[in-house]
């Protein structure tokens, strides 16, 4: 295995893009990332020995993540609209 090759291959998953973006903002706010949190959920869900339920962020963290994501998306759309004008 080359040094830049990940340990595990990627897996496609169908997810609403807005929810995916909000999840990214929320996991970043919690000092983590989507992949780590999804793997933790899978370990817990599959009763992997020694695992416990993942920590769920507070509603305030999720609300702030949603706001941040939607603001970033609005800014992207505005930039694209300005380019196309």
């Amino acid at each position: 295995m080359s040094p830049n090759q990940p340990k595990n291959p990627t897996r496609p998953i169908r997810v609403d893009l807005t929810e995916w973006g909000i999840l990214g903002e929320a996991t970043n706010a919690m000092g983590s990332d989507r992949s780590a949190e999804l793997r933790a959920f899978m370990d817990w869900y599959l009763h992997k020995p020694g695992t416990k339920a993942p920590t769920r962020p507070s509603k305030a963290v999720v609300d702030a993540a949603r706001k941040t994501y939607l603001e970033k998306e609005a800014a992207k759309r505005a930039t694209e609209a300005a380019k196309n004008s």
Side-chain angles (χ1 to χ4, degrees):
M1 185 181 319
S2 72
N4 293 328
Q5 186 174 359
K7 180 180 173 185
N8 296 308
T10 60
R11 297 286 182 235
I13 180 174
R14 285 191 169 91
V15 180
D16 177 85
L17 289 177
T18 299
E19 296 300 313
W20 187 252
I22 295 167
L23 179 63
E25 292 292 337
T27 55
N28 287 341
M30 297 294 290
S32 187
D33 61 65
R34 287 179 285 231
S35 293
E37 295 304 319
L38 291 170
R39 284 191 302 269
F41 171 79
M42 288 173 53
D43 288 347
W44 167 77
Y45 193 87
L46 298 174
H47 298 272
K48 188 173 180 179
T51 61
K52 57 183 181 177
T55 302
R56 186 178 186 191
S58 69
K59 186 172 182 325
V61 168
V62 174
D63 288 346
R66 179 174 282 107
K67 182 177 184 229
T68 299
Y69 176 77
L70 294 175
E71 287 172 350
K72 286 179 180 180
E73 286 301 301
K76 282 184 196 176
R77 285 192 302 277
T79 299
E80 287 299 315
K83 284 182 188 177
N84 295 328
S85 296

